[in-house]
Amino acid sequence: MPKTSSLRERRVAQGTETQTFRNFVAGEWSEPANSAYFDNRNPADRNDLIGRFPDSDERDIDAAVKSAQRGFAIWSRTPAPARGDVLRRVGDLLVNRKEALANAMTREMGKVLAETRGDVQEGIDTAYYAATEGRRLFGHVVPSELRSKWAMSYRRPIGVVGLITPFNFPLAIPTWKMFPALLCGNSVIIKPSEDVPHTVHLLVEILLEAGLPPEVIQLVHGRGETVGKALVEHPEIPVISFTGSTETGSVIGETCGRMHKRLSLEMGGKNAMIVMDDADLDLALEGVLWGAFGTTGQRCTATSRLIVHENVHDEFVRRVADAAQRLRLGDGRKDGTDVGPLIHEASREKVERYVEIGRKEGAELVIGGEAGSGSSLDQGYFYRPTIFTGVKPKSRLEQEEIFGPVLSVVRVESFDQAVRVNNDVRYGLSSSLYTRNVDLAFRAMQELDNGITYINAPTIGAEAHLPFGGVKAMGNGHREGGWEVYEFYSETKVCYVDYSGKLQRAQIDTYDV
């Protein structure tokens, strides 16, 4: 950021002056073209103002694109191993600042420190993995069908990449998208969620400190309906990667399809954890508490459905309810907090609407169903862990994504019925099965219609070096993470070298008629 006076720095540190942040465009921290800003507040305490951030418009996107094109001209010609070296330094800086980043993230997003430390660790793992891929952007050399001729392919960068990231993983998801895009030689424009702008600001500072050429990265803050829309619709951005709601992703898909853009979508989920009657119930209990109420249920992979065999249903539900009632709500930076706040009031209102829907559909509210209250909770967007039983397949509570701490329990008679219930939703991201039966475990891996299946683990827990994504309305078939994401952010170019000294016609001169 621009240099400030020592007096102002002291005032900001003491909380007597609000810090104003800026976009990073054309190699410098700059004000938005419209001079408009919005407030970023702590969801655990809305009186805690983190800072003011640019409420940018399409003019800032235009400026970012021009700069990113200049950055692409430099970065795309930088050898991939050298690009990897920059990302390795980014990983080192993330290691050194892990605790500070986790604290800033918890203040901004709300989830407990153990989770935000994990969020930073995902960024570290992704940085180091990307660094090694700088020496592994493999192409292919294959035999030509003609004499004195070579045939080969290689991966090359595409251009300016537009990234739109959500609030629930303020560091991890930006790094999932940004690091592979950069490693492949692209320049990047990132529009983080307006709910968590500070974390990406800190990440961009780290990238610059690690030696990334300034015009390779552009940070434009703002709202989805203005800046996000301008980013998606800009004719000189050939690649878009979006994580967010299915409704918004569908609109983006229509735009990118019409404009012939490469697009990766990662959207909603309605994930189920299946507990069979031979399961280790102690292990399953730990799994469902973490899967359903970790991140306050604000994960696309959250365990929002619990499918339980009738032989253990009553006992297991009782144990889950007893344990969930003991989870402590509060500021995620304080010791003893198990569940933080929802991201904002609109999210809490959505949870409240679905609780009412569940009641009207005849499901039984076992615990929860109300906002968190008390002196330490009244200024935040807290909602108590909530469990419904008697939830019917095809009901709205069972079918629709809530994105909050609400667990819907479905009773089943058999494994086959559990599979049918799991598969009969519009989403297909993650699934989970708890059993000691190896036959059922392998059947689950084959029959559960999801991009990810866990055996004896909850529906969350993806690792940075494996592909991440799902099927059906969850996305459009591309994967984040692992080796597959590098194919998304690069193009295949095929080259032929004919040193025969004469015209050779493939398919024509190879075989006699």
Side-chain angles (χ1 to χ4, degrees), residues 391-429:
V391 177
K392 302 300 182 185
K394 297 187 182 299
S395 66
R396 290 186 64 187
L397 197 65
E398 193 265 342
Q399 291 279 312
E400 299 176 10
E401 185 177 44
I402 301 171
F403 227 61
V406 179
L407 180 65
S408 300
V409 183
V410 181
R411 181 195 296 259
V412 294
E413 299 175 357
S414 65
F415 173 78
D416 289 336
Q417 185 184 4
V419 171
R420 289 194 299 271
V421 171
N422 175 84
N423 293 351
D424 191 23
V425 292
R426 63 187 296 222
Y427 303 105
L429 177 52

mmCIF file of all heavy atoms in Angstrom, residues 391-429:
data_model
loop_
_atom_site.group_PDB
_atom_site.id
_atom_site.type_symbol
_atom_site.label_atom_id
_atom_site.label_comp_id
_atom_site.label_asym_id
_atom_site.label_seq_id
_atom_site.Cartn_x
_atom_site.Cartn_y
_atom_site.Cartn_z
ATOM 1 N N VAL A 391 -36.739 -36.686 8.187
ATOM 2 C CA VAL A 391 -36.689 -35.924 6.934
ATOM 3 C C VAL A 391 -36.976 -36.872 5.772
ATOM 4 O O VAL A 391 -36.369 -37.938 5.664
ATOM 5 C CB VAL A 391 -35.319 -35.249 6.765
ATOM 6 C CG1 VAL A 391 -35.235 -34.520 5.433
ATOM 7 C CG2 VAL A 391 -35.055 -34.287 7.927
ATOM 8 N N LYS A 392 -37.898 -36.473 4.914
ATOM 9 C CA LYS A 392 -38.326 -37.334 3.817
ATOM 10 C C LYS A 392 -37.500 -37.071 2.560
ATOM 11 O O LYS A 392 -37.239 -35.915 2.216
ATOM 12 C CB LYS A 392 -39.802 -37.093 3.499
ATOM 13 C CG LYS A 392 -40.746 -37.330 4.674
ATOM 14 C CD LYS A 392 -40.668 -38.761 5.184
ATOM 15 C CE LYS A 392 -41.647 -38.999 6.318
ATOM 16 N NZ LYS A 392 -41.499 -40.364 6.910
ATOM 17 N N PRO A 393 -37.098 -38.144 1.868
ATOM 18 C CA PRO A 393 -36.467 -37.953 0.563
ATOM 19 C C PRO A 393 -37.377 -37.127 -0.352
ATOM 20 O O PRO A 393 -38.600 -37.255 -0.294
ATOM 21 C CB PRO A 393 -36.290 -39.381 0.043
ATOM 22 C CG PRO A 393 -36.214 -40.217 1.279
ATOM 23 C CD PRO A 393 -37.149 -39.563 2.260
ATOM 24 N N LYS A 394 -36.754 -36.255 -1.120
ATOM 25 C CA LYS A 394 -37.417 -35.351 -2.065
ATOM 26 C C LYS A 394 -38.042 -34.127 -1.399
ATOM 27 O O LYS A 394 -38.594 -33.262 -2.085
ATOM 28 C CB LYS A 394 -38.457 -36.077 -2.933
ATOM 29 C CG LYS A 394 -37.861 -37.158 -3.821
ATOM 30 C CD LYS A 394 -38.900 -37.724 -4.769
ATOM 31 C CE LYS A 394 -38.326 -38.832 -5.637
ATOM 32 N NZ LYS A 394 -37.215 -38.368 -6.496
ATOM 33 N N SER A 395 -38.010 -34.041 -0.074
ATOM 34 C CA SER A 395 -38.474 -32.815 0.572
ATOM 35 C C SER A 395 -37.460 -31.702 0.329
ATOM 36 O O SER A 395 -36.299 -31.949 0.003
ATOM 37 C CB SER A 395 -38.654 -33.037 2.075
ATOM 38 O OG SER A 395 -37.404 -33.298 2.706
ATOM 39 N N ARG A 396 -37.883 -30.468 0.489
ATOM 40 C CA ARG A 396 -36.973 -29.344 0.255
ATOM 41 C C ARG A 396 -35.810 -29.361 1.231
ATOM 42 O O ARG A 396 -34.667 -29.053 0.858
ATOM 43 C CB ARG A 396 -37.734 -28.017 0.368
ATOM 44 C CG ARG A 396 -38.708 -27.758 -0.762
ATOM 45 C CD ARG A 396 -39.298 -26.364 -0.655
ATOM 46 N NE ARG A 396 -38.271 -25.340 -0.809
ATOM 47 C CZ ARG A 396 -38.480 -24.031 -0.624
ATOM 48 N NH1 ARG A 396 -39.677 -23.603 -0.234
ATOM 49 N NH2 ARG A 396 -37.501 -23.163 -0.801
ATOM 50 N N LEU A 397 -36.081 -29.715 2.477
ATOM 51 C CA LEU A 397 -35.018 -29.768 3.473
ATOM 52 C C LEU A 397 -33.955 -30.780 3.068
ATOM 53 O O LEU A 397 -32.759 -30.585 3.336
ATOM 54 C CB LEU A 397 -35.607 -30.135 4.837
ATOM 55 C CG LEU A 397 -34.729 -29.859 6.065
ATOM 56 C CD1 LEU A 397 -34.502 -28.366 6.236
ATOM 57 C CD2 LEU A 397 -35.372 -30.442 7.319
ATOM 58 N N GLU A 398 -34.357 -31.845 2.422
ATOM 59 C CA GLU A 398 -33.434 -32.907 2.023
ATOM 60 C C GLU A 398 -32.759 -32.618 0.690
ATOM 61 O O GLU A 398 -31.678 -33.138 0.420
ATOM 62 C CB GLU A 398 -34.211 -34.231 1.945
ATOM 63 C CG GLU A 398 -33.349 -35.471 1.847
ATOM 64 C CD GLU A 398 -33.145 -35.938 0.406
ATOM 65 O OE1 GLU A 398 -33.931 -35.512 -0.473
ATOM 66 O OE2 GLU A 398 -32.208 -36.728 0.159
ATOM 67 N N GLN A 399 -33.354 -31.755 -0.130
ATOM 68 C CA GLN A 399 -32.880 -31.565 -1.497
ATOM 69 C C GLN A 399 -32.053 -30.291 -1.706
ATOM 70 O O GLN A 399 -31.169 -30.262 -2.555
ATOM 71 C CB GLN A 399 -34.080 -31.512 -2.454
ATOM 72 C CG GLN A 399 -34.806 -32.835 -2.623
ATOM 73 C CD GLN A 399 -34.123 -33.763 -3.593
ATOM 74 O OE1 GLN A 399 -33.753 -33.375 -4.700
ATOM 75 N NE2 GLN A 399 -33.920 -35.008 -3.185
ATOM 76 N N GLU A 400 -32.338 -29.238 -0.963
ATOM 77 C CA GLU A 400 -31.798 -27.916 -1.275
ATOM 78 C C GLU A 400 -30.638 -27.536 -0.362
ATOM 79 O O GLU A 400 -30.638 -27.847 0.821
ATOM 80 C CB GLU A 400 -32.917 -26.873 -1.186
ATOM 81 C CG GLU A 400 -34.043 -27.141 -2.176
ATOM 82 C CD GLU A 400 -35.199 -26.165 -2.036
ATOM 83 O OE1 GLU A 400 -35.059 -25.165 -1.300
ATOM 84 O OE2 GLU A 400 -36.255 -26.400 -2.661
ATOM 85 N N GLU A 401 -29.671 -26.853 -0.950
ATOM 86 C CA GLU A 401 -28.495 -26.435 -0.187
ATOM 87 C C GLU A 401 -28.862 -25.296 0.766
ATOM 88 O O GLU A 401 -29.462 -24.308 0.351
ATOM 89 C CB GLU A 401 -27.378 -25.990 -1.127
ATOM 90 C CG GLU A 401 -26.093 -25.659 -0.390
ATOM 91 C CD GLU A 401 -24.966 -25.277 -1.325
ATOM 92 O OE1 GLU A 401 -25.224 -24.502 -2.274
ATOM 93 O OE2 GLU A 401 -23.825 -25.727 -1.106
ATOM 94 N N ILE A 402 -28.478 -25.436 2.017
ATOM 95 C CA ILE A 402 -28.783 -24.434 3.039
ATOM 96 C C ILE A 402 -27.569 -23.583 3.356
ATOM 97 O O ILE A 402 -27.670 -22.390 3.579
ATOM 98 C CB ILE A 402 -29.312 -25.121 4.318
ATOM 99 C CG1 ILE A 402 -30.574 -25.938 3.992
ATOM 100 C CG2 ILE A 402 -29.602 -24.088 5.410
ATOM 101 C CD1 ILE A 402 -31.053 -26.816 5.128
ATOM 102 N N PHE A 403 -26.388 -24.173 3.385
ATOM 103 C CA PHE A 403 -25.125 -23.494 3.690
ATOM 104 C C PHE A 403 -25.144 -22.920 5.102
ATOM 105 O O PHE A 403 -24.829 -21.757 5.340
ATOM 106 C CB PHE A 403 -24.829 -22.397 2.661
ATOM 107 C CG PHE A 403 -23.404 -22.449 2.155
ATOM 108 C CD1 PHE A 403 -22.944 -23.572 1.490
ATOM 109 C CD2 PHE A 403 -22.538 -21.382 2.343
ATOM 110 C CE1 PHE A 403 -21.642 -23.628 1.015
ATOM 111 C CE2 PHE A 403 -21.230 -21.428 1.888
ATOM 112 C CZ PHE A 403 -20.782 -22.561 1.212
ATOM 113 N N GLY A 404 -25.488 -23.784 6.031
ATOM 114 C CA GLY A 404 -25.506 -23.400 7.429
ATOM 115 C C GLY A 404 -25.497 -24.640 8.301
ATOM 116 O O GLY A 404 -25.479 -25.775 7.803
ATOM 117 N N PRO A 405 -25.552 -24.480 9.626
ATOM 118 C CA PRO A 405 -25.383 -25.603 10.555
ATOM 119 C C PRO A 405 -26.676 -26.396 10.760
ATOM 120 O O PRO A 405 -27.185 -26.515 11.873
ATOM 121 C CB PRO A 405 -24.937 -24.907 11.836
ATOM 122 C CG PRO A 405 -25.642 -23.587 11.793
ATOM 123 C CD PRO A 405 -25.663 -23.190 10.339
ATOM 124 N N VAL A 406 -27.219 -26.932 9.671
ATOM 125 C CA VAL A 406 -28.468 -27.698 9.716
ATOM 126 C C VAL A 406 -28.211 -29.088 9.149
ATOM 127 O O VAL A 406 -27.777 -29.231 8.002
ATOM 128 C CB VAL A 406 -29.581 -27.005 8.918
ATOM 129 C CG1 VAL A 406 -30.869 -27.835 8.969
ATOM 130 C CG2 VAL A 406 -29.828 -25.599 9.448
ATOM 131 N N LEU A 407 -28.490 -30.109 9.942
ATOM 132 C CA LEU A 407 -28.282 -31.501 9.554
ATOM 133 C C LEU A 407 -29.639 -32.186 9.411
ATOM 134 O O LEU A 407 -30.438 -32.195 10.344
ATOM 135 C CB LEU A 407 -27.438 -32.223 10.605
ATOM 136 C CG LEU A 407 -27.131 -33.705 10.338
ATOM 137 C CD1 LEU A 407 -26.267 -33.868 9.096
ATOM 138 C CD2 LEU A 407 -26.456 -34.328 11.556
ATOM 139 N N SER A 408 -29.888 -32.771 8.249
ATOM 140 C CA SER A 408 -31.139 -33.483 7.970
ATOM 141 C C SER A 408 -30.879 -34.981 8.016
ATOM 142 O O SER A 408 -30.032 -35.492 7.272
ATOM 143 C CB SER A 408 -31.667 -33.091 6.587
ATOM 144 O OG SER A 408 -31.924 -31.709 6.523
ATOM 145 N N VAL A 409 -31.620 -35.697 8.879
ATOM 146 C CA VAL A 409 -31.404 -37.130 9.080
ATOM 147 C C VAL A 409 -32.491 -37.916 8.345
ATOM 148 O O VAL A 409 -33.687 -37.656 8.528
ATOM 149 C CB VAL A 409 -31.411 -37.496 10.575
ATOM 150 C CG1 VAL A 409 -31.100 -38.987 10.757
ATOM 151 C CG2 VAL A 409 -30.406 -36.627 11.340
ATOM 152 N N VAL A 410 -32.036 -38.876 7.530
ATOM 153 C CA VAL A 410 -32.936 -39.736 6.767
ATOM 154 C C VAL A 410 -32.716 -41.184 7.221
ATOM 155 O O VAL A 410 -31.585 -41.671 7.207
ATOM 156 C CB VAL A 410 -32.691 -39.605 5.252
ATOM 157 C CG1 VAL A 410 -33.651 -40.497 4.476
ATOM 158 C CG2 VAL A 410 -32.824 -38.146 4.809
ATOM 159 N N ARG A 411 -33.774 -41.870 7.595
ATOM 160 C CA ARG A 411 -33.701 -43.273 8.004
ATOM 161 C C ARG A 411 -33.848 -44.163 6.764
ATOM 162 O O ARG A 411 -34.720 -43.935 5.921
ATOM 163 C CB ARG A 411 -34.816 -43.589 8.996
ATOM 164 C CG ARG A 411 -34.818 -45.032 9.525
ATOM 165 C CD ARG A 411 -36.145 -45.348 10.203
ATOM 166 N NE ARG A 411 -36.369 -44.526 11.386
ATOM 167 C CZ ARG A 411 -36.176 -44.938 12.636
ATOM 168 N NH1 ARG A 411 -35.767 -46.173 12.878
ATOM 169 N NH2 ARG A 411 -36.415 -44.125 13.643
ATOM 170 N N VAL A 412 -32.988 -45.204 6.656
ATOM 171 C CA VAL A 412 -33.087 -46.151 5.546
ATOM 172 C C VAL A 412 -33.039 -47.582 6.071
ATOM 173 O O VAL A 412 -32.576 -47.844 7.188
ATOM 174 C CB VAL A 412 -31.954 -45.939 4.514
ATOM 175 C CG1 VAL A 412 -32.097 -44.597 3.824
ATOM 176 C CG2 VAL A 412 -30.583 -46.081 5.174
ATOM 177 N N GLU A 413 -33.498 -48.502 5.217
ATOM 178 C CA GLU A 413 -33.562 -49.909 5.588
ATOM 179 C C GLU A 413 -32.382 -50.719 5.076
ATOM 180 O O GLU A 413 -32.157 -51.833 5.555
ATOM 181 C CB GLU A 413 -34.851 -50.525 5.059
ATOM 182 C CG GLU A 413 -36.119 -49.891 5.608
ATOM 183 C CD GLU A 413 -37.367 -50.462 4.965
ATOM 184 O OE1 GLU A 413 -37.236 -51.322 4.049
ATOM 185 O OE2 GLU A 413 -38.479 -50.068 5.359
ATOM 186 N N SER A 414 -31.649 -50.185 4.085
ATOM 187 C CA SER A 414 -30.608 -50.991 3.451
ATOM 188 C C SER A 414 -29.573 -50.098 2.793
ATOM 189 O O SER A 414 -29.793 -48.881 2.601
ATOM 190 C CB SER A 414 -31.229 -51.904 2.380
ATOM 191 O OG SER A 414 -31.761 -51.108 1.325
ATOM 192 N N PHE A 415 -28.466 -50.698 2.416
ATOM 193 C CA PHE A 415 -27.427 -49.978 1.671
ATOM 194 C C PHE A 415 -27.970 -49.509 0.331
ATOM 195 O O PHE A 415 -27.708 -48.376 -0.093
ATOM 196 C CB PHE A 415 -26.208 -50.880 1.482
ATOM 197 C CG PHE A 415 -25.152 -50.274 0.590
ATOM 198 C CD1 PHE A 415 -24.296 -49.295 1.071
ATOM 199 C CD2 PHE A 415 -25.023 -50.673 -0.739
ATOM 200 C CE1 PHE A 415 -23.325 -48.722 0.251
ATOM 201 C CE2 PHE A 415 -24.056 -50.123 -1.557
ATOM 202 C CZ PHE A 415 -23.202 -49.147 -1.061
ATOM 203 N N ASP A 416 -28.713 -50.355 -0.359
ATOM 204 C CA ASP A 416 -29.250 -49.975 -1.668
ATOM 205 C C ASP A 416 -30.152 -48.751 -1.558
ATOM 206 O O ASP A 416 -30.097 -47.846 -2.402
ATOM 207 C CB ASP A 416 -30.029 -51.140 -2.285
ATOM 208 C CG ASP A 416 -29.116 -52.274 -2.741
ATOM 209 O OD1 ASP A 416 -27.929 -51.997 -3.002
ATOM 210 O OD2 ASP A 416 -29.586 -53.420 -2.825
ATOM 211 N N GLN A 417 -30.974 -48.700 -0.518
ATOM 212 C CA GLN A 417 -31.821 -47.530 -0.337
ATOM 213 C C GLN A 417 -30.984 -46.295 -0.020
ATOM 214 O O GLN A 417 -31.281 -45.189 -0.502
ATOM 215 C CB GLN A 417 -32.841 -47.768 0.783
ATOM 216 C CG GLN A 417 -33.835 -46.623 0.935
ATOM 217 C CD GLN A 417 -34.790 -46.808 2.100
ATOM 218 O OE1 GLN A 417 -34.683 -47.778 2.870
ATOM 219 N NE2 GLN A 417 -35.744 -45.892 2.250
ATOM 220 N N ALA A 418 -29.935 -46.459 0.753
ATOM 221 C CA ALA A 418 -29.050 -45.341 1.073
ATOM 222 C C ALA A 418 -28.419 -44.766 -0.192
ATOM 223 O O ALA A 418 -28.319 -43.543 -0.355
ATOM 224 C CB ALA A 418 -27.975 -45.787 2.055
ATOM 225 N N VAL A 419 -28.005 -45.641 -1.097
ATOM 226 C CA VAL A 419 -27.421 -45.178 -2.357
ATOM 227 C C VAL A 419 -28.448 -44.391 -3.158
ATOM 228 O O VAL A 419 -28.144 -43.333 -3.725
ATOM 229 C CB VAL A 419 -26.874 -46.373 -3.162
ATOM 230 C CG1 VAL A 419 -26.475 -45.937 -4.575
ATOM 231 C CG2 VAL A 419 -25.676 -46.991 -2.449
ATOM 232 N N ARG A 420 -29.676 -44.885 -3.221
ATOM 233 C CA ARG A 420 -30.715 -44.183 -3.970
ATOM 234 C C ARG A 420 -30.974 -42.801 -3.385
ATOM 235 O O ARG A 420 -31.109 -41.809 -4.124
ATOM 236 C CB ARG A 420 -32.008 -45.005 -3.986
ATOM 237 C CG ARG A 420 -31.943 -46.256 -4.848
ATOM 238 C CD ARG A 420 -33.327 -46.830 -5.094
ATOM 239 N NE ARG A 420 -34.008 -47.232 -3.865
ATOM 240 C CZ ARG A 420 -33.914 -48.436 -3.323
ATOM 241 N NH1 ARG A 420 -33.141 -49.374 -3.891
ATOM 242 N NH2 ARG A 420 -34.575 -48.737 -2.214
ATOM 243 N N VAL A 421 -31.045 -42.704 -2.053
ATOM 244 C CA VAL A 421 -31.280 -41.407 -1.417
ATOM 245 C C VAL A 421 -30.098 -40.474 -1.694
ATOM 246 O O VAL A 421 -30.286 -39.295 -2.026
ATOM 247 C CB VAL A 421 -31.504 -41.584 0.097
ATOM 248 C CG1 VAL A 421 -31.536 -40.219 0.797
ATOM 249 C CG2 VAL A 421 -32.798 -42.343 0.360
ATOM 250 N N ASN A 422 -28.889 -40.978 -1.552
ATOM 251 C CA ASN A 422 -27.708 -40.152 -1.822
ATOM 252 C C ASN A 422 -27.737 -39.578 -3.229
ATOM 253 O O ASN A 422 -27.469 -38.401 -3.452
ATOM 254 C CB ASN A 422 -26.433 -40.972 -1.635
ATOM 255 C CG ASN A 422 -25.186 -40.181 -2.021
ATOM 256 O OD1 ASN A 422 -24.660 -39.414 -1.223
ATOM 257 N ND2 ASN A 422 -24.707 -40.366 -3.250
ATOM 258 N N ASN A 423 -28.067 -40.409 -4.202
ATOM 259 C CA ASN A 423 -27.953 -40.013 -5.604
ATOM 260 C C ASN A 423 -29.110 -39.146 -6.079
ATOM 261 O O ASN A 423 -28.994 -38.473 -7.106
ATOM 262 C CB ASN A 423 -27.854 -41.252 -6.488
ATOM 263 C CG ASN A 423 -26.564 -42.025 -6.286
ATOM 264 O OD1 ASN A 423 -25.647 -41.556 -5.606
ATOM 265 N ND2 ASN A 423 -26.479 -43.210 -6.857
ATOM 266 N N ASP A 424 -30.224 -39.156 -5.361
ATOM 267 C CA ASP A 424 -31.434 -38.497 -5.848
ATOM 268 C C ASP A 424 -31.500 -37.030 -5.433
ATOM 269 O O ASP A 424 -32.466 -36.558 -4.834
ATOM 270 C CB ASP A 424 -32.677 -39.249 -5.355
ATOM 271 C CG ASP A 424 -33.948 -38.760 -6.046
ATOM 272 O OD1 ASP A 424 -33.833 -38.195 -7.153
ATOM 273 O OD2 ASP A 424 -35.031 -38.925 -5.461
ATOM 274 N N VAL A 425 -30.431 -36.289 -5.727
ATOM 275 C CA VAL A 425 -30.405 -34.840 -5.566
ATOM 276 C C VAL A 425 -29.734 -34.262 -6.801
ATOM 277 O O VAL A 425 -29.073 -34.973 -7.564
ATOM 278 C CB VAL A 425 -29.644 -34.391 -4.292
ATOM 279 C CG1 VAL A 425 -30.392 -34.802 -3.030
ATOM 280 C CG2 VAL A 425 -28.222 -34.940 -4.280
ATOM 281 N N ARG A 426 -29.879 -32.964 -7.003
ATOM 282 C CA ARG A 426 -29.331 -32.335 -8.215
ATOM 283 C C ARG A 426 -27.820 -32.160 -8.150
ATOM 284 O O ARG A 426 -27.175 -31.908 -9.170
ATOM 285 C CB ARG A 426 -30.006 -30.976 -8.450
ATOM 286 C CG ARG A 426 -29.750 -29.955 -7.354
ATOM 287 C CD ARG A 426 -30.573 -28.692 -7.561
ATOM 288 N NE ARG A 426 -30.221 -27.989 -8.783
ATOM 289 C CZ ARG A 426 -30.107 -26.652 -8.866
ATOM 290 N NH1 ARG A 426 -30.328 -25.900 -7.795
ATOM 291 N NH2 ARG A 426 -29.798 -26.075 -9.994
ATOM 292 N N TYR A 427 -27.252 -32.263 -6.937
ATOM 293 C CA TYR A 427 -25.813 -32.061 -6.776
ATOM 294 C C TYR A 427 -25.083 -33.395 -6.692
ATOM 295 O O TYR A 427 -25.679 -34.422 -6.383
ATOM 296 C CB TYR A 427 -25.532 -31.266 -5.500
ATOM 297 C CG TYR A 427 -26.222 -29.922 -5.437
ATOM 298 C CD1 TYR A 427 -27.330 -29.731 -4.628
ATOM 299 C CD2 TYR A 427 -25.756 -28.852 -6.183
ATOM 300 C CE1 TYR A 427 -27.965 -28.496 -4.554
ATOM 301 C CE2 TYR A 427 -26.384 -27.620 -6.122
ATOM 302 C CZ TYR A 427 -27.488 -27.446 -5.308
ATOM 303 O OH TYR A 427 -28.111 -26.232 -5.248
ATOM 304 N N GLY A 428 -23.775 -33.342 -6.911
ATOM 305 C CA GLY A 428 -22.981 -34.564 -6.811
ATOM 306 C C GLY A 428 -21.532 -34.283 -6.477
ATOM 307 O O GLY A 428 -20.627 -34.712 -7.194
ATOM 308 N N LEU A 429 -21.304 -33.569 -5.387
ATOM 309 C CA LEU A 429 -19.925 -33.239 -5.035
ATOM 310 C C LEU A 429 -19.284 -34.331 -4.184
ATOM 311 O O LEU A 429 -18.395 -35.039 -4.641
ATOM 312 C CB LEU A 429 -19.868 -31.897 -4.311
ATOM 313 C CG LEU A 429 -18.481 -31.452 -3.820
ATOM 314 C CD1 LEU A 429 -17.443 -31.496 -4.931
ATOM 315 C CD2 LEU A 429 -18.545 -30.071 -3.187
#
